[in-house]
Amino acid sequence: MISKKMENMVANSSAIRAMFEEGNRLAKIYGAENVFDFSLGNPNVPAPEAVKKAIIELLDEENPVVLHGYTNSNAGYEDVRQAVAESLNKRFGTSFSAKNITMTVGAAGGLNVILKALLNPGDEVVVFAPYFGEYRSYVNNYDGVLVEVSPNTIDFQPKLDEFEAKLTPKTRAVIVNTPNNPTGVVYSEDTIKKMAAVMEKKQKEYGTDIYLISDEPYRELAYDGVEVPYLTKCYANTIVGYSYSKSLSLPGERIGYLVIPDEAADSENLIAAANVATRILGFVNAPTLQQKVVKACLDEKTDISFYDRNRETLYNGLKELGFECIKPEGAFYLFVKSPVEDEKEFCAAAKKYNILVVPGSSFACPGYVRIAYCVAYETIVNSLPKFAKLAEEYK
C-alpha cells in the first residue's frame, strides 16, 4: 500500500495534467487541428537560437567528464552562480554574489528546496488565491499548513486586510507569484510595499521572521511596458525562485535558481540549508549542461510578441462574445468568469466543442476557468467560432 499522504495526493492529482491528457486523447479521434487545448502552460515559442548554439558549443568544446559530472557544490557551478548574480545586479541594482545563488531544478525544485529548508511541521505558509495549485503539495511535502487569502475578483490584487488578519505566530512564509498564474495579473509596486509593511509589523509583533518567497517563472513575460517589481528591494526577508522554463522556453530542461540575499534573516544558515536540501531531496545538483547553457544565454529572451498577439486576439474575441475577464498584464493565461456558478459544468460544456480549459477551483477560485494561450496563433483564431457556439448556450 502507498502512504496515506500519497493516497490523498493521488486522489487529488492535477486537473491541469488530466485535461492535457484528455487533449491528447481527443486529438487522436478528431485530429490535433480540431482540438483547442488551452490546458497546459507549455511554451509554444521556440527557445532562442542562441540556446541551440550554446548547447552545441559546450558539447564540442567542454571536457565531457566535467560537463556531465557532479558540481563541486550542490548549489551549482560557482562561475554560473556568479554570472547570474552579476546579471541581476546589472538589471535591478542589487548586490548579490555567487554565494547568494543556488541553481535549482526549475522553480518547482527551488520552492521545494527553500520550503524544506524553512518549515517545521505545523508552520504556516500564506498564499493568495487564485494560486498555482501545486503549492498545496509543496507545503504538504514538509508537513506545513497552507493558509489561503480569498480572491479579490475585482482586479485580483491581494486582499491585504485579510492577509494581515491571517498572519499568526506560526506564519513562516508567504508565497507570491507575479506575473500571476492563473490570472496574468502583475502585483503593483504599491501592493508589494504595503504587503511588506504588514509583514514587518507582524514580525515585530510576534518576534518571528516571516519570509516572502517570490515565485517568478513569468517575470520576463510582461506586456505593454508593465514593470514587474523586484521584491528583494521592498522587503529584506525575500527569497526569489526563478525558472528559465518560460523566459527561454526550456520547461523540460528543469533549470532555475534561488536567490537568498545577505539581508535575509539568518541568511548564512539558510544558504547552507538550501545547499543540503538540494542534495537530500534527491536533486543533488541542477542539470550541469543546462547551467552552462543559461550562463551563455543570460542576455537572451524569448520573443513574447507571439504571446502578445495571442493575448490580444483571444481577449478581444472572448469579450466580444460576452465573456467576462480582466486583461492580463503578464504570463500567458486568461482567467475567465464562468457564465454558470459551477465552472466544472462550463468546462464540460466547452469540451463538447473540443475546447479544453481548466476549472478555477484548481486554483482555489471557483467560478472561473483558466485559458493558457501559449498555443499556435491558428489555434486561437480557429477556436473563436467554437467559443461563439459555446457562448450561445448561455444566452
Side-chain angles (χ1 to χ4, degrees), residues 223-261:
Y223 311 104
D224 301 330
V226 170
E227 292 290 330
V228 182
Y230 202 72
L231 273 57
T232 66
K233 301 174 74 174
C234 301
Y235 183 68
N237 279 348
T238 296
I239 297 157
V240 177
Y242 184 82
S243 169
Y244 292 96
S245 292
K246 276 68 178 182
S247 62
L248 292 179
S249 292
L250 298 174
E253 304 298 348
R254 312 310 305 135
I255 186 67
Y257 60 78
L258 286 172
V259 181
I260 303 174

Short mmCIF file of all heavy atoms in Angstrom, two decimals, residues 223-261:
data_model
loop_
_atom_site.label_atom_id
_atom_site.label_comp_id
_atom_site.label_asym_id
_atom_site.label_seq_id
_atom_site.Cartn_x
_atom_site.Cartn_y
_atom_site.Cartn_z
N TYR A 223 3.64 42.66 -20.57
CA TYR A 223 3.24 43.34 -21.79
C TYR A 223 2.97 44.82 -21.55
O TYR A 223 2.80 45.26 -20.42
CB TYR A 223 1.97 42.69 -22.36
CG TYR A 223 2.07 41.18 -22.45
CD1 TYR A 223 1.42 40.35 -21.53
CD2 TYR A 223 2.83 40.57 -23.44
CE1 TYR A 223 1.51 38.97 -21.61
CE2 TYR A 223 2.94 39.19 -23.53
CZ TYR A 223 2.28 38.39 -22.60
OH TYR A 223 2.39 37.03 -22.67
N ASP A 224 2.94 45.56 -22.64
CA ASP A 224 2.54 46.98 -22.62
C ASP A 224 3.43 47.82 -21.71
O ASP A 224 2.99 48.80 -21.12
CB ASP A 224 1.07 47.13 -22.19
CG ASP A 224 0.11 46.39 -23.11
OD1 ASP A 224 0.43 46.26 -24.31
OD2 ASP A 224 -0.94 45.92 -22.62
N GLY A 225 4.69 47.41 -21.56
CA GLY A 225 5.63 48.19 -20.76
C GLY A 225 5.43 48.07 -19.26
O GLY A 225 6.01 48.84 -18.48
N VAL A 226 4.63 47.11 -18.82
CA VAL A 226 4.38 46.92 -17.39
C VAL A 226 5.67 46.49 -16.69
O VAL A 226 6.38 45.60 -17.16
CB VAL A 226 3.28 45.85 -17.17
CG1 VAL A 226 3.18 45.47 -15.69
CG2 VAL A 226 1.95 46.37 -17.67
N GLU A 227 5.98 47.11 -15.57
CA GLU A 227 7.17 46.79 -14.79
C GLU A 227 6.80 45.78 -13.70
O GLU A 227 5.80 45.95 -13.00
CB GLU A 227 7.74 48.05 -14.12
CG GLU A 227 8.34 49.05 -15.11
CD GLU A 227 9.63 48.56 -15.74
OE1 GLU A 227 10.36 47.78 -15.08
OE2 GLU A 227 9.90 48.94 -16.89
N VAL A 228 7.62 44.73 -13.58
CA VAL A 228 7.43 43.73 -12.53
C VAL A 228 8.42 44.06 -11.41
O VAL A 228 9.63 43.96 -11.61
CB VAL A 228 7.68 42.31 -13.06
CG1 VAL A 228 7.44 41.28 -11.96
CG2 VAL A 228 6.80 42.02 -14.27
N PRO A 229 7.95 44.48 -10.23
CA PRO A 229 8.87 44.87 -9.16
C PRO A 229 9.80 43.73 -8.76
O PRO A 229 9.40 42.56 -8.78
CB PRO A 229 7.92 45.24 -8.00
CG PRO A 229 6.60 45.50 -8.64
CD PRO A 229 6.53 44.61 -9.84
N TYR A 230 11.05 44.08 -8.40
CA TYR A 230 11.98 43.08 -7.87
C TYR A 230 11.89 43.12 -6.36
O TYR A 230 12.23 44.11 -5.71
CB TYR A 230 13.42 43.32 -8.35
CG TYR A 230 14.23 42.04 -8.27
CD1 TYR A 230 14.00 41.01 -9.18
CD2 TYR A 230 15.17 41.84 -7.28
CE1 TYR A 230 14.70 39.82 -9.11
CE2 TYR A 230 15.88 40.65 -7.20
CZ TYR A 230 15.64 39.64 -8.13
OH TYR A 230 16.32 38.46 -8.05
N LEU A 231 11.40 42.05 -5.77
CA LEU A 231 10.89 42.10 -4.40
C LEU A 231 11.96 42.21 -3.32
O LEU A 231 11.66 42.65 -2.21
CB LEU A 231 9.98 40.89 -4.14
CG LEU A 231 8.51 41.09 -4.52
CD1 LEU A 231 8.34 41.46 -5.99
CD2 LEU A 231 7.70 39.85 -4.19
N THR A 232 13.19 41.80 -3.60
CA THR A 232 14.23 41.92 -2.56
C THR A 232 14.49 43.38 -2.21
O THR A 232 15.01 43.68 -1.13
CB THR A 232 15.56 41.28 -3.01
OG1 THR A 232 16.10 42.01 -4.12
CG2 THR A 232 15.38 39.83 -3.39
N LYS A 233 14.11 44.30 -3.10
CA LYS A 233 14.32 45.73 -2.85
C LYS A 233 13.22 46.31 -1.98
O LYS A 233 13.34 47.43 -1.48
CB LYS A 233 14.38 46.47 -4.19
CG LYS A 233 15.50 45.96 -5.10
CD LYS A 233 15.46 46.58 -6.47
CE LYS A 233 15.94 48.01 -6.44
NZ LYS A 233 16.05 48.59 -7.80
N CYS A 234 12.13 45.53 -1.79
CA CYS A 234 11.00 46.01 -1.00
C CYS A 234 10.94 45.40 0.40
O CYS A 234 10.32 45.99 1.30
CB CYS A 234 9.69 45.68 -1.73
SG CYS A 234 9.54 46.41 -3.37
N TYR A 235 11.59 44.24 0.57
CA TYR A 235 11.44 43.50 1.84
C TYR A 235 12.69 42.66 2.05
O TYR A 235 13.06 41.85 1.19
CB TYR A 235 10.19 42.62 1.77
CG TYR A 235 9.86 41.85 3.02
CD1 TYR A 235 9.44 42.51 4.18
CD2 TYR A 235 9.92 40.46 3.04
CE1 TYR A 235 9.10 41.79 5.32
CE2 TYR A 235 9.59 39.74 4.17
CZ TYR A 235 9.19 40.41 5.32
OH TYR A 235 8.85 39.70 6.45
N ALA A 236 13.34 42.85 3.20
CA ALA A 236 14.64 42.21 3.44
C ALA A 236 14.56 40.69 3.43
O ALA A 236 15.45 40.01 2.92
CB ALA A 236 15.22 42.71 4.77
N ASN A 237 13.50 40.13 4.00
CA ASN A 237 13.39 38.67 4.12
C ASN A 237 12.76 38.03 2.88
O ASN A 237 11.92 37.14 2.98
CB ASN A 237 12.57 38.29 5.36
CG ASN A 237 13.40 38.34 6.63
OD1 ASN A 237 14.62 38.44 6.56
ND2 ASN A 237 12.76 38.27 7.77
N THR A 238 13.18 38.51 1.72
CA THR A 238 12.66 37.96 0.47
C THR A 238 13.61 36.91 -0.09
O THR A 238 14.83 37.08 -0.09
CB THR A 238 12.48 39.08 -0.58
OG1 THR A 238 11.50 40.00 -0.12
CG2 THR A 238 12.05 38.50 -1.92
N ILE A 239 13.03 35.82 -0.60
CA ILE A 239 13.77 34.78 -1.32
C ILE A 239 13.11 34.66 -2.69
O ILE A 239 11.88 34.57 -2.78
CB ILE A 239 13.71 33.44 -0.57
CG1 ILE A 239 14.41 33.57 0.79
CG2 ILE A 239 14.35 32.32 -1.40
CD1 ILE A 239 13.96 32.55 1.80
N VAL A 240 13.91 34.68 -3.73
CA VAL A 240 13.39 34.64 -5.09
C VAL A 240 13.62 33.25 -5.68
O VAL A 240 14.73 32.71 -5.63
CB VAL A 240 14.05 35.70 -5.99
CG1 VAL A 240 13.54 35.58 -7.43
CG2 VAL A 240 13.79 37.09 -5.45
N GLY A 241 12.56 32.67 -6.26
CA GLY A 241 12.67 31.44 -7.03
C GLY A 241 12.40 31.74 -8.49
O GLY A 241 11.34 32.27 -8.83
N TYR A 242 13.37 31.43 -9.34
CA TYR A 242 13.27 31.79 -10.76
C TYR A 242 13.40 30.54 -11.62
O TYR A 242 14.03 29.55 -11.21
CB TYR A 242 14.37 32.79 -11.14
CG TYR A 242 14.28 33.30 -12.56
CD1 TYR A 242 13.42 34.34 -12.89
CD2 TYR A 242 15.04 32.73 -13.58
CE1 TYR A 242 13.33 34.81 -14.19
CE2 TYR A 242 14.96 33.18 -14.88
CZ TYR A 242 14.10 34.22 -15.18
OH TYR A 242 14.01 34.68 -16.47
N SER A 243 12.82 30.58 -12.81
CA SER A 243 12.93 29.48 -13.76
C SER A 243 13.16 30.03 -15.15
O SER A 243 12.65 31.10 -15.50
CB SER A 243 11.64 28.66 -13.75
OG SER A 243 11.61 27.75 -14.83
N TYR A 244 13.94 29.31 -15.94
CA TYR A 244 14.12 29.65 -17.35
C TYR A 244 13.10 28.94 -18.24
O TYR A 244 13.19 29.01 -19.46
CB TYR A 244 15.55 29.29 -17.79
CG TYR A 244 16.60 30.15 -17.14
CD1 TYR A 244 17.26 29.72 -16.00
CD2 TYR A 244 16.91 31.41 -17.64
CE1 TYR A 244 18.21 30.52 -15.38
CE2 TYR A 244 17.86 32.22 -17.02
CZ TYR A 244 18.51 31.76 -15.89
OH TYR A 244 19.45 32.55 -15.28
N SER A 245 12.14 28.26 -17.64
CA SER A 245 11.15 27.50 -18.40
C SER A 245 10.39 28.37 -19.40
O SER A 245 10.15 27.97 -20.54
CB SER A 245 10.16 26.83 -17.46
OG SER A 245 10.77 25.83 -16.70
N LYS A 246 10.02 29.57 -18.97
CA LYS A 246 9.24 30.44 -19.84
C LYS A 246 10.11 31.50 -20.51
O LYS A 246 9.93 31.80 -21.68
CB LYS A 246 8.14 31.14 -19.03
CG LYS A 246 6.87 30.31 -18.86
CD LYS A 246 7.06 29.08 -17.99
CE LYS A 246 5.75 28.30 -17.82
NZ LYS A 246 5.90 27.14 -16.93
N SER A 247 11.08 32.05 -19.79
CA SER A 247 11.89 33.13 -20.36
C SER A 247 12.75 32.65 -21.51
O SER A 247 13.04 33.41 -22.44
CB SER A 247 12.77 33.77 -19.28
OG SER A 247 13.67 32.83 -18.74
N LEU A 248 13.20 31.39 -21.48
CA LEU A 248 13.98 30.82 -22.58
C LEU A 248 13.27 29.63 -23.23
O LEU A 248 13.88 28.91 -24.02
CB LEU A 248 15.37 30.40 -22.10
CG LEU A 248 16.33 31.52 -21.69
CD1 LEU A 248 17.66 30.94 -21.23
CD2 LEU A 248 16.56 32.51 -22.84
N SER A 249 12.01 29.41 -22.89
CA SER A 249 11.23 28.28 -23.43
C SER A 249 11.94 26.94 -23.21
O SER A 249 12.09 26.14 -24.13
CB SER A 249 10.96 28.49 -24.93
OG SER A 249 10.08 29.56 -25.15
N LEU A 250 12.33 26.69 -21.96
CA LEU A 250 13.06 25.47 -21.61
C LEU A 250 12.36 24.70 -20.48
O LEU A 250 13.03 24.25 -19.54
CB LEU A 250 14.50 25.81 -21.18
CG LEU A 250 15.40 26.48 -22.21
CD1 LEU A 250 16.73 26.87 -21.57
CD2 LEU A 250 15.63 25.56 -23.40
N PRO A 251 11.05 24.50 -20.55
CA PRO A 251 10.37 23.89 -19.39
C PRO A 251 10.84 22.48 -19.07
O PRO A 251 10.92 22.10 -17.90
CB PRO A 251 8.90 23.90 -19.80
CG PRO A 251 8.90 23.93 -21.30
CD PRO A 251 10.11 24.76 -21.65
N GLY A 252 11.15 21.71 -20.10
CA GLY A 252 11.56 20.32 -19.86
C GLY A 252 13.00 20.16 -19.40
O GLY A 252 13.38 19.08 -18.94
N GLU A 253 13.78 21.22 -19.49
CA GLU A 253 15.20 21.13 -19.09
C GLU A 253 15.38 21.31 -17.59
O GLU A 253 16.45 21.01 -17.06
CB GLU A 253 16.03 22.17 -19.85
CG GLU A 253 15.94 22.07 -21.37
CD GLU A 253 16.44 20.75 -21.92
OE1 GLU A 253 17.08 19.97 -21.17
OE2 GLU A 253 16.19 20.47 -23.11
N ARG A 254 14.36 21.83 -16.92
CA ARG A 254 14.34 21.95 -15.46
C ARG A 254 15.57 22.69 -14.93
O ARG A 254 16.43 22.12 -14.26
CB ARG A 254 14.22 20.56 -14.78
CG ARG A 254 13.15 19.65 -15.32
CD ARG A 254 11.78 20.30 -15.43
NE ARG A 254 11.32 20.88 -14.18
CZ ARG A 254 10.77 22.09 -14.08
NH1 ARG A 254 10.61 22.86 -15.15
NH2 ARG A 254 10.37 22.53 -12.91
N ILE A 255 15.61 23.98 -15.23
CA ILE A 255 16.73 24.78 -14.75
C ILE A 255 16.22 26.14 -14.26
O ILE A 255 15.40 26.78 -14.91
CB ILE A 255 17.81 24.97 -15.86
CG1 ILE A 255 19.05 25.68 -15.31
CG2 ILE A 255 17.24 25.63 -17.10
CD1 ILE A 255 19.83 24.87 -14.30
N GLY A 256 16.69 26.51 -13.08
CA GLY A 256 16.33 27.78 -12.48
C GLY A 256 17.29 28.09 -11.34
O GLY A 256 18.37 27.50 -11.26
N TYR A 257 16.89 28.99 -10.46
CA TYR A 257 17.76 29.32 -9.32
C TYR A 257 16.95 29.92 -8.19
O TYR A 257 15.83 30.40 -8.37
CB TYR A 257 18.88 30.28 -9.73
CG TYR A 257 18.42 31.61 -10.29
CD1 TYR A 257 17.97 32.64 -9.45
CD2 TYR A 257 18.45 31.86 -11.66
CE1 TYR A 257 17.56 33.85 -9.96
CE2 TYR A 257 18.04 33.07 -12.19
CZ TYR A 257 17.60 34.06 -11.34
OH TYR A 257 17.18 35.27 -11.85
N LEU A 258 17.52 29.87 -7.01
CA LEU A 258 17.05 30.62 -5.84
C LEU A 258 18.00 31.78 -5.57
O LEU A 258 19.22 31.63 -5.75
CB LEU A 258 17.03 29.74 -4.59
CG LEU A 258 15.95 28.68 -4.45
CD1 LEU A 258 16.26 27.81 -3.23
CD2 LEU A 258 14.57 29.32 -4.30
N VAL A 259 17.45 32.89 -5.13
CA VAL A 259 18.25 33.99 -4.60
C VAL A 259 17.96 34.10 -3.11
O VAL A 259 16.81 34.30 -2.71
CB VAL A 259 17.91 35.34 -5.27
CG1 VAL A 259 18.78 36.45 -4.70
CG2 VAL A 259 18.07 35.26 -6.78
N ILE A 260 19.00 33.96 -2.30
CA ILE A 260 18.89 34.15 -0.85
C ILE A 260 19.82 35.30 -0.49
O ILE A 260 21.04 35.13 -0.38
CB ILE A 260 19.27 32.87 -0.08
CG1 ILE A 260 18.40 31.70 -0.54
CG2 ILE A 260 19.11 33.09 1.43
CD1 ILE A 260 18.80 30.36 0.05
N PRO A 261 19.28 36.51 -0.33
CA PRO A 261 20.13 37.68 -0.11
C PRO A 261 20.79 37.66 1.27
O PRO A 261 20.29 37.04 2.22
CB PRO A 261 19.15 38.86 -0.21
CG PRO A 261 17.92 38.31 -0.85
CD PRO A 261 17.86 36.87 -0.45
#
